[in-house]
């Protein structure tokens, strides 16, 4: 018989956890959602916002009876969150997460819960904001959710988890955790590192006063400041967890940056123009395939 998910517990009620809770309430009227957060202040805020059917103070109590438990805490906190839930878990519960890196998180969760089924996942959707008030029910609509099951994960459980994310509006891709980490190092982690770098560099340049940074930040720099406002704890953990893939990607990036630096120094306009023509074609092909951001202004609206 196909697995059904009637009760879900979300552990960690920040941007992503609160968005899951809101989306379940909005999209899955037959599913009961319970929430827990280690912070008493966040639990109080979640209660005031009416995010879940129930908010539990104790993690083991929160997961009692849950068919699906989703850990939505920073990557470096996943294992301790799982251990705190362990005494209350149903033997056949599916344990999943939303962490931005997958190999290390999967290994940590399986080590923390050796007798339970762990199916890691990553909704590739978010904003630079954090906390329970920042979430919204439509966050996952039209966005990818990458699921990284172990090769021997039961098919009915994988289908139940992917069906859950599809019900929240997500598109599903299944891949190996190591491949996920390499892809996301390029498409998400490196861009965040570049944004953190460029905003820090600009503020440290003595001739550019802080007021000038603000005054002239209407262009591309403004987009970098949005990304560089992302949660420091979350991103510290992502870079520590996805160290190898980020360092490999950064090596390639530095080599390419040196090529462009050399072209500028040598006055090699052909090289620069050819490079920029190629990158423009990449952007245009992404748009032609309908792969561009379905909500381009989402970061500013919420
Ligand atoms: N922010 C984003 O755009 C995205 C984030 N992610 C991933 O989602 C996860 C959560 O990120 P956000 O929701 O943005 O963070 P957030 O900072 O908004 O929320 C995290 C929450 O986890 C709670 N928490 C920390 N340790 C805990 C523990 N041991 N037990 C219970 N609660 C605990 C915190 O009190 C906080 O309320 C991270 O793993 C991140 O990598 C995934 C996709 C997008
Ligand atoms: O705000 C942005 O531009 C993002 O890139 C959001 C984001 C952050 C982390 C993820 O793992 C997935 C999406």
């Amino acid at each position: 018989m196909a697995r059904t998910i009637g009760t879900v517990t979300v552990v960690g009620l920040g941007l992503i956890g609160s968005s899951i809770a809101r989306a379940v309430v909005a999209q899955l009227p037959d599913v009961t959602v319970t929430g827990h957060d280690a912070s008493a202040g966040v639990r109080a805020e979640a209660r005031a916002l009416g995010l879940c059917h129930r908010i539990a103070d104790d993690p083991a109590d929160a997961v009692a009876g849950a068919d699906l438990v989703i850990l939505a805490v920073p990557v470096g906190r996943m294992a301790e969150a799982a251990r705190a839930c362990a005494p209350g878990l149903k033997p056949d519960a599916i344990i999943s997460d939303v962490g931005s890196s997958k190999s290390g998180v999967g290994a940590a969760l399986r080590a923390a819960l050796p007798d339970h089924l762990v199916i890691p996942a990553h909704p590739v959707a978010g904003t630079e904001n954090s906390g329970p008030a920042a979430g919204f029910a439509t966050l996952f609509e039209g966005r990818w959710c990458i699921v990284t099951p172990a090769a021997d994960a039961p098919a009915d459980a994988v289908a139940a988890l992917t069906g859950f994310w599809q019900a929240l509006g997500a598109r599903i891709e299944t891949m190996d955790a190591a491949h996920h980490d390499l892809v996301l190092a390029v498409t998400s982690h490196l861009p965040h590192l570049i944004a953190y770098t460029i905003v820090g560099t600009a503020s440290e340049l003595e001739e550019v006063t802080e007021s000038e940074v603000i005054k002239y930040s209407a262009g591309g720099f403004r987009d970098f400041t949005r990304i560089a406002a992302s949660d420091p704890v979350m991103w510290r953990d992502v870079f520590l967890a996805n160290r190898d893939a980020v360092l490999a990607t950064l090596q390639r990036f530095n080599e390419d940056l040196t090529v462009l630096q050399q072209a500028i120094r040598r006055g090699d306009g052909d090289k620069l123009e050819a490079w920029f023509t190629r990158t423009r074609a990449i952007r245009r092909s992404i748009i032609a395939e309908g792969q561009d951001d379905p909500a381009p202004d989402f970061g500013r609206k919420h």
Side-chain angles (χ1 to χ4, degrees):
M1 208 177 74
R3 269 188 191 242
T4 52
I5 292 175
T7 54
V8 177
T9 297
V10 180
V11 176
L13 295 170
L15 170 74
I16 301 299
S18 76
S19 295
I20 295 171
R22 286 175 167 99
V24 170
V25 169
Q27 304 294 341
L28 298 169
D30 296 334
V31 173
T32 302
V33 58
T34 299
H36 168 74
D37 197 287
S39 155
V42 171
R43 294 198 300 273
E45 210 178 334
R47 285 191 180 102
L49 289 164
L51 287 182
C52 303
H53 299 110
R54 183 169 79 96
I55 304 280
D57 289 339
D58 176 72
D61 173 38
V63 300
D67 301 314
L68 170 63
V69 175
I70 301 185
L71 303 174
V73 303
V75 164
R77 300 269 82 83
M78 291 288 181
E80 71 180 48
R83 280 194 296 271
C85 294
L89 288 171
K90 279 205 307 184
D92 64 346
I94 299 170
I95 320 302
S96 191
D97 76 295
V98 295
S100 301
S101 67
K102 296 271 58 93
S103 301
V105 169
L109 291 181
R110 289 183 184 108
L113 301 172
D115 300 325
H116 284 89
L117 173 60
V118 173
I119 308 179
H122 176 203
V124 188
T127 74
E128 72 280 19
N129 301 318
S130 35
F136 49 104
T138 55
L139 177 62
F140 310 110
E141 281 180 9
R143 312 306 297 253
W144 288 105
C145 181
I146 301 174
V147 183
T148 63
D152 61 354
D156 64 338
V158 176
L161 181 65
T162 58
F164 172 82
W165 278 107
Q166 282 168 329
L168 304 195
R171 298 187 278 177
I172 302 296
E173 192 69 72
T174 302
M175 64 177 77
D176 172 61
H179 185 65
H180 166 281
D181 288 352
L182 198 56
V183 172
L184 270 290
V186 179
T187 60
S188 177
H189 306 170
L190 184 65
H192 276 78
L193 194 66
I194 292 167
Y196 282 124
T197 311
I198 197 166
V199 175
T201 304
S203 75
E204 277 166 23
L205 285 177
E206 279 173 20
E207 65 269 32
V208 181
T209 67
E210 211 168 288
S211 66
E212 282 174 312
V213 169
I214 294 161
K215 191 170 163 189
Y216 301 121
S217 69
F221 185 73
R222 193 181 176 87
D223 295 343
F224 283 118
T225 62
R226 182 187 76 75
I227 295 187
S230 301
D231 191 76
V233 171
M234 173 192 151
W235 282 99
R236 175 201 67 192
D237 283 4
V238 171
F239 290 117
L240 295 178
N242 202 19
R243 178 179 184 265
D244 293 347
V246 168
L247 289 179
T249 308
L250 196 55
Q251 172 71 26
R252 291 286 295 270
F253 176 80
N254 281 329
E255 287 168 16
D256 290 343
L257 193 61
T258 303
V259 168
L260 292 179
Q261 183 181 8
Q262 197 179 53
I264 293 168
R265 185 163 45 75
R266 291 180 176 168
D268 187 348
D270 290 347
K271 178 123 215 155
L272 294 173
E273 191 179 333
W275 193 288
F276 303 158
T277 302
R278 186 167 63 90
T279 58
R280 171 188 269 188
I282 292 167
R283 165 73 184 173
R284 289 184 174 169
S285 73
I286 291 170
I287 289 174
E289 282 168 27
Q291 295 276 314
D292 63 322
D293 192 336
D297 282 335
F298 68 91
R300 291 190 191 110
K301 278 190 206 142
H302 298 278

